[in-house]
Amino acid sequence: MRMSDVALMSRRRFIGALGAATPGWASQRTKPNILMVLMDDLGYGALSCFGNKLVATPNLDRIAGQGIRFTDAYVTPQCTPTRATLLTGQYTARNRMWHVIPAYQYPQGAVKEPPFRENLGREAFTLAKGLKEAGYATACIGKWHLTVGADGDYNGLRPDAAQHYGFDTVATPSAIPKEFSTGDKAVNRFTEEAIRFIGANKETPWFCYLPHHSIHNVVSAPDDLVRKYREKGFPAEGLNNATYLAAIEHFDAAIGRLIRSIDDSGLGQNTLVLFLSDNGGIFRSWKPNPPGTRLEDGQPQLSNAPLRAGKGSSYEGGIRVPMIARWTGTIRGGQTCRTPVHIVDLMPTFFDLAGARAPQGYVTDGVSLTPLLQGKRIPPRALYWYQPFYDVRWLASPSAMVRDGDWKLLEFFGDYIEEMPAGAEYRPGVRLELYNLRDDPGERRDLAASMPTRAAAMRRKLHDWIRSTGSPVPGPNANYNPERPLLEARGMPQ
């Protein structure tokens, strides 16, 4: 029996077990539509259904109430790696796109950065290619940030290159100067383009990948909404500023409009909606190219509390994000799932439900989350992160992590940047940190010194995993300069 037949039988058993064979689209078709909404830099606590008391997100709250809210959903700490992980179904250590592009480096740091992949090649197998092969119409409407050449850039995938990555449709190239850093950052335009794509493909299953530019810096929102929050007393800049809160309200309204269009067209019963962010929110950013080993703090925007740190960080605030799934009539509403999941799991999940498959010999690193959508369990497994690079903006130095059950081990391979009450300071030396996330989700109590046996075992497991992917465990840099270890330069590490 072919793997696609097995996946299709699994999909039918899933619907039957949940009693989803009701009149309408769900009873007539076996392949669900898939709407994948990816926000940019949206922090863990930014939605009111995840604890935000400053701004209401009624539409996303409603979607969560109709489906599942994932409390322990993970991505990578930055834009490019998360998007590459989603589309390839592979951890960064395997797809080698662990670095934000275009390339930059820190050639005088204590650790030698391994060369990374700067472009997702046309030959790469992608989530969209697999779904297209399974009969889906496919669209990428929004931010791309996976190539630096003629095929596309940070802003979007170009229409004439879309087919090479598995997409039939992409967003209309912007004709407005600075559209993605001003106004509503094209939230309304992308929403309307998604509605048109869905309306044009009612007779076939579709996959709509909707990666917004909001709420990435520079944060921007409609003037009337910004004025609303200023009149409520929120500041113009800094933590919990009016523009940031207005942007959250604005994209929530747009997502609500999109979901209503799906429901009103009769597609809600056969559409899986998946919402999450590409990394944690910006709590602090730091000035690059420092003259020595001390960094100056930037302006915070929104706290990721109770999690530590934010975008770019190896701590939970950088990698744990809000995630919501809804499938009306198939997923039981009002669920909260505390099982750790990773964006690397979405390819296996979508393929499971769509009857799609990867090419023979292609390695995927995730597992199907179909049992979790059913309210069941998946077997325990470890989750991994590989981040062998520097990025002063986020106090990032070469590191890797493993979460195994409630335990998380973080290893800095040769140096680290420690946040201080005023500023941050560079520290040379290998560093292990161990946390129990059940008891200490804010990662305030490092247990590595008091539990050396557990820390050593998890470190061995982490190194074994890195080597199994074909990537190196980073080592010393022969060009290390202790006077200027955090000097940034353009280009790829040699």
Side-chain angles (χ1 to χ4, degrees), residues 248-294:
I248 293 174
E249 178 176 332
H250 181 64
F251 74 67
D252 176 77
I255 290 170
R257 188 164 67 253
L258 174 57
I259 298 302
R260 283 192 297 274
S261 75
I262 291 173
D263 292 345
D264 291 347
S265 65
L267 297 176
Q269 291 282 325
N270 201 54
T271 298
L272 172 63
V273 178
L274 202 294
F275 172 94
L276 78 165
S277 176
D278 66 344
N279 47 247
I282 297 176
F283 178 53
R284 282 193 174 93
S285 60
W286 303 80
K287 290 187 178 180
N289 284 326
T293 59
R294 189 170 181 84

Side-chain angles (χ1 to χ4, degrees), residues 107-165:
Q108 299 180 54
V111 179
K112 182 175 176 60
E113 297 183 67
F116 49 88
R117 191 185 304 276
E118 195 176 20
N119 284 280
L120 182 67
R122 290 183 170 187
E123 76 288 349
F125 178 69
T126 68
L127 172 60
K129 287 180 179 178
L131 291 174
K132 187 172 175 62
E133 181 68 23
Y136 278 67
T138 58
C140 174
I141 300 173
K143 180 176 174 178
W144 179 237
H145 207 183
L146 285 169
T147 52
V148 297
D151 285 352
D153 53 20
Y154 175 93
N155 291 329
L157 177 61
R158 292 192 170 87
D160 58 353
Q163 61 178 328
H164 300 296
Y165 300 91

Side-chain angles (χ1 to χ4, degrees), residues 91-104:
Y91 283 122
T92 58
R94 196 178 306 279
N95 65 40
R96 303 192 72 82
M97 292 194 74
W98 54 71
H99 205 293
V100 171
I101 59 175
Y104 54 93

Side-chain angles (χ1 to χ4, degrees), residues 164-213:
H164 300 296
Y165 300 91
F167 293 104
D168 301 312
T169 302
V170 298
T172 304
S174 179
I176 303 173
K178 299 183 178 180
E179 182 182 17
F180 304 131
S181 59
T182 58
D184 80 336
K185 305 193 75 166
V187 167
N188 281 341
R189 179 165 77 85
F190 289 160
T191 299
E192 294 305 318
E193 292 198 20
I195 290 172
R196 287 197 294 272
F197 166 77
I198 292 167
N201 290 281
K202 290 183 179 180
E203 303 304 320
T204 186
W206 47 261
F207 168 58
C208 183
Y209 172 42
L210 181 58
H212 279 293
H213 286 271

Side-chain angles (χ1 to χ4, degrees), residues 58-79:
N59 295 287
L60 284 160
D61 292 358
R62 187 178 306 112
I63 295 170
Q66 295 168 344
I68 302 177
R69 186 176 65 94
F70 290 84
T71 64
D72 290 54
Y74 288 98
V75 290
T76 79
Q78 289 185 270
C79 302

Side-chain angles (χ1 to χ4, degrees), residues 108-110 292-293 426 428 479-486:
Q108 299 180 54
T293 59
Y426 173 85
N479 297 315
Y480 172 49
N481 180 354
E483 300 300 320
R484 298 177 68 85
L486 301 179

Side-chain angles (χ1 to χ4, degrees), residues 40-41 75-79 81-82 98 100 104 216 278-286 304 308-321 385 387-399 401 410 412 417:
D40 198 335
D41 292 1
V75 290
T76 79
Q78 289 185 270
C79 302
T82 286
W98 54 71
V100 171
Y104 54 93
H216 191 285
D278 66 344
N279 47 247
I282 297 176
F283 178 53
R284 282 193 174 93
S285 60
W286 303 80
N304 294 294
R308 179 176 176 180
K311 176 179 179 174
S313 173
S314 301
Y315 298 112
E316 293 290 285
I319 59 176
R320 197 193 297 197
V321 296
W385 291 261
Q387 300 154 200
F389 63 91
Y390 293 91
D391 196 330
V392 166
R393 296 160 189 81
W394 319 114
L395 306 187
S397 62
S399 66
M401 300 100 74
L410 195 164
F412 295 100
I417 308 171

